[in-house]
């Protein structure tokens, strides 16, 4: 098995199909409490990613002798901005490896590729969020040197909150 990582081209049909397939699988994963992508989202998500200059998707592909590469992992990331450093930040929004290929180092390869992209963009850091109960993912992220933000420990842990606008 040979694994290759690459920045996806949103105009490439094979890349579009791979992003949609992997994102659909990820969105239905019980580890994140997923219920799958609604049809209306599946119809437009790749086009919406392509419209955003701050979006980047990375694919991990498995290349076997005599067959076309198969996408087996995905990172969707978005460049944001740190006002404290006055520099860009790359937020890894979706990180996934297809179930049949987990435990083979593909997640680490994707995160390393994301770090290369972040450095190319001049980012000061990368960020992500993970469910506390998703121990496998949290372990991977810590092994890739992600840490809890160094804040005022008297204030407690950092929380990730959201508010739906739909």
């Amino acid at each position: 098995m040979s694994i290759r990582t690459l920045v996806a081209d949103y105009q490439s049909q094979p890349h579009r199909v791979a992003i949609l397939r992997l994102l659909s699988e990820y969105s239905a994963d019980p580890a994140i409490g997923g219920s799958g992508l609604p049809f209306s989202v599946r119809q437009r998500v790749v086009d919406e990613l392509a419209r955003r200059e701050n979006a980047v998707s990375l694919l991990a592909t498995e290349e076997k002798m005599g067959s076309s590469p198969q996408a087996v992992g995905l990172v969707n990331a978005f460049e944001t901005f740190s006002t404290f450093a006055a520099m860009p930040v790359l937020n890894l929004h979706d990180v996934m490896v297809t179930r049949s290929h987990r435990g083979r180092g593909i997640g680490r390869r994707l995160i390393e590729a994301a770090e290369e992209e972040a450095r190319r963009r001049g980012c000061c850091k990368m960020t992500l969020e993970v469910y506390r109960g998703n121990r496998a993912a949290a372990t991977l992220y810590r092994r890739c040197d992600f840490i809890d933000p160094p804040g005022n420990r008297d204030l407690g842990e950092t929380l990730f909150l959201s508010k739906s606008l739909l």
Side-chain angles (χ1 to χ4, degrees), residues 21-164:
R21 178 179 56 79
L22 293 167
L23 189 58
S24 293
E25 178 184 332
Y26 179 56
S27 69
D29 192 323
I32 63 164
S35 59
L37 293 179
F39 180 72
S40 63
V41 173
R42 289 193 314 266
Q43 285 186 302
R44 65 181 205 281
V45 67
V46 179
D47 287 334
E48 292 295 333
L49 285 167
R51 279 183 248 246
R52 284 158 176 72
E53 290 181 21
N54 66 328
V56 61
S57 296
L58 302 157
L59 292 169
T61 62
E62 178 182 40
E63 299 181 2
K64 292 181 181 177
M65 198 70 136
S67 62
S68 298
Q70 175 190 0
V72 295
L74 171 69
V75 169
N76 287 318
F78 299 89
E79 185 179 306
T80 63
F81 188 75
S82 169
T83 54
F84 289 5
M87 295 176 72
V89 172
L90 192 65
N91 177 261
L92 309 186
H93 187 69
D94 303 309
V95 179
M96 75 82 64
V97 174
T98 192
R99 187 170 297 283
S100 63
H101 284 70
R102 292 180 185 166
R104 299 183 189 183
I106 297 168
R108 176 179 287 279
R109 299 272 303 271
L110 280 165
I111 290 171
E112 289 169 353
E115 183 174 340
E116 288 176 23
E117 179 65 18
R119 290 184 187 283
R120 188 189 69 73
R121 291 170 176 249
C123 294
C124 64
K125 67 180 174 181
M126 295 190 311
T127 60
L128 55 76
E129 59 264 2
V130 60
Y131 286 110
R132 185 175 312 180
N134 191 347
R135 289 190 175 95
T139 298
L140 169 64
Y141 302 146
R142 286 194 171 93
R143 285 183 180 157
C144 291
D145 299 325
F146 282 85
I147 59 170
D148 293 320
N152 181 334
R153 293 298 173 210
D154 293 336
L155 295 175
E157 70 180 318
T158 301
L159 302 176
F160 177 78
L161 305 175
S162 68
K163 178 180 179 176
S164 178

Side-chain angles (χ1 to χ4, degrees), residues 5-25:
T5 58
L6 60 121
V7 174
D9 175 356
Y10 295 128
Q11 304 312 312
S12 162
Q13 191 61 25
H15 289 190
R16 293 171 64 85
V17 168
I19 291 167
L20 185 56
R21 178 179 56 79
L22 293 167
L23 189 58
S24 293
E25 178 184 332

